[in-house]
Amino acid sequence: MSQNSITDTLDVSLISPSITSYKSIDGTLKLGIMASGNGSNFEAIAQAIDDGRLSAKIQVLIYNNPDAYAAVRAEKRGVPVVLLNHRDYKRRQDLDRQIVQTFQQYGVEWIVMAGWMRLATSILIDAFPNRILNIHPSLLPSFKGAYAIEAALAAGVKIAGCTVHLICLEMDSGPIVMQAAVPVLPDDTPETLHARIQVQEHRILPDAIALAALSHSNLRRKPTS
């Protein structure tokens, strides 16, 4: 069986929960995106908004790497960009205070860490409780950290994938919102596996944002006993 045949066979039902366009969100979500690199997940979110799949508006992009192509992507779409270089701050808390201030200035309601390579402190988490999402290239809780794909290959797993989760103080933890599985092929390298995982990241991230917002809204409406 060819690599494409394997991928096509396994791809059908390995997203959970199933991808759906969540049309029942009240209003338009006001998103703040955080990115450190290429920004392909930023692009996936923006495209989902353009396609009417996600009822949201990107209020601002914060990036910490001056060379991040994510900023170029945002500027092309007319999204405000703010560089907050972590090297300019002595403490993580100081950076997060500035992040919070910036997001509040732009009226952000939900934060999406779309390739943000910095740990969050309680300063940021407490300012947006249960409203910060992260995408990670593994099936959490397995393979946390910056080298998740390399660790998965080293462990010899046959299924890898990606996870969208709400963040907490512990790295790559917090409640899982959505996951997609990706087969590990016999001749995979970190680069080839990462490329296939990214395809699934782009598929699930917009819907995970909508699902998290819908769940958060329903929880707030639920009457207390």
Side-chain angles (χ1 to χ4, degrees):
M1 183 179 290
S2 69
Q3 289 190 4
N4 287 340
S5 297
I6 294 173
T7 303
D8 292 343
T9 300
L10 293 177
D11 184 55
V12 176
S13 61
L14 292 181
I15 292 176
S16 182
S18 299
I19 284 185
T20 308
S21 294
Y22 291 94
K23 302 293 187 181
S24 55
I25 300 173
D26 292 337
T28 300
L29 301 177
K30 297 179 179 179
L31 303 179
I33 310 297
M34 302 169 70
S36 298
N38 181 53
S40 64
N41 276 308
F42 165 88
E43 194 71 34
I45 295 168
Q47 191 61 53
I49 294 171
D50 288 349
D51 294 343
R53 205 172 110 221
L54 177 63
S55 179
K57 179 183 178 183
I58 302 175
Q59 304 289 104
V60 64
L61 167 77
I62 290 178
Y63 65 110
N64 66 310
N65 178 2
D67 297 323
Y69 190 69
V72 177
R73 293 180 185 270
E75 288 175 336
K76 286 181 177 180
R77 289 181 168 274
V79 173
V81 298
V82 177
L83 172 61
L84 297 179
N85 192 331
H86 62 275
R87 301 167 187 85
D88 296 334
Y89 298 85
K90 292 183 178 180
R91 302 190 307 156
R92 292 182 187 273
Q93 290 86 349
D94 297 331
L95 171 62
D96 279 2
R97 284 192 186 91
Q98 188 60 54
I99 291 172
V100 169
Q101 181 179 331
T102 301
F103 280 146
Q104 290 175 341
Q105 175 186 344
Y106 282 91
V108 167
E109 298 170 341
W110 281 82
I111 297 171
V112 183
M113 293 180 169
W116 178 258
M117 303 303 291
R118 308 295 299 174
L119 292 175
T121 71
S122 59
I123 300 294
L124 179 57
I125 294 171
D126 292 347
F128 294 87
N130 299 312
R131 287 179 288 137
I132 307 176
L133 292 164
N134 180 54
I135 184 138
H136 182 74
S138 80
L139 294 175
L140 292 174
S142 298
F143 309 118
K144 300 178 181 181
Y147 297 98
I149 294 173
E150 290 84 352
L153 287 172
V157 299
K158 306 307 178 186
I159 297 290
C162 52
T163 302
V164 179
H165 64 99
L166 294 167
I167 74 158
C168 63
L169 285 175
E170 183 182 349
M171 179 181 65
D172 296 328
S173 299
I176 290 171
V177 177
M178 187 174 284
Q179 292 182 308
V182 174
V184 179
L185 305 181
D187 58 351
D188 260 331
T189 65
E191 292 75 22
T192 60
L193 182 54
H194 182 235
R196 286 205 316 286
I197 289 174
Q198 272 206 323
V199 171
Q200 300 308 317
E201 290 180 357
H202 300 162
R203 292 180 67 187
I204 71 172
L205 183 53
D207 285 289
I209 294 167
L211 179 58
L214 182 61
S215 299
H216 187 268
S217 177
N218 289 341
L219 183 61
R220 292 176 65 183
R221 291 174 181 170
K222 186 176 181 181
T224 57
S225 57

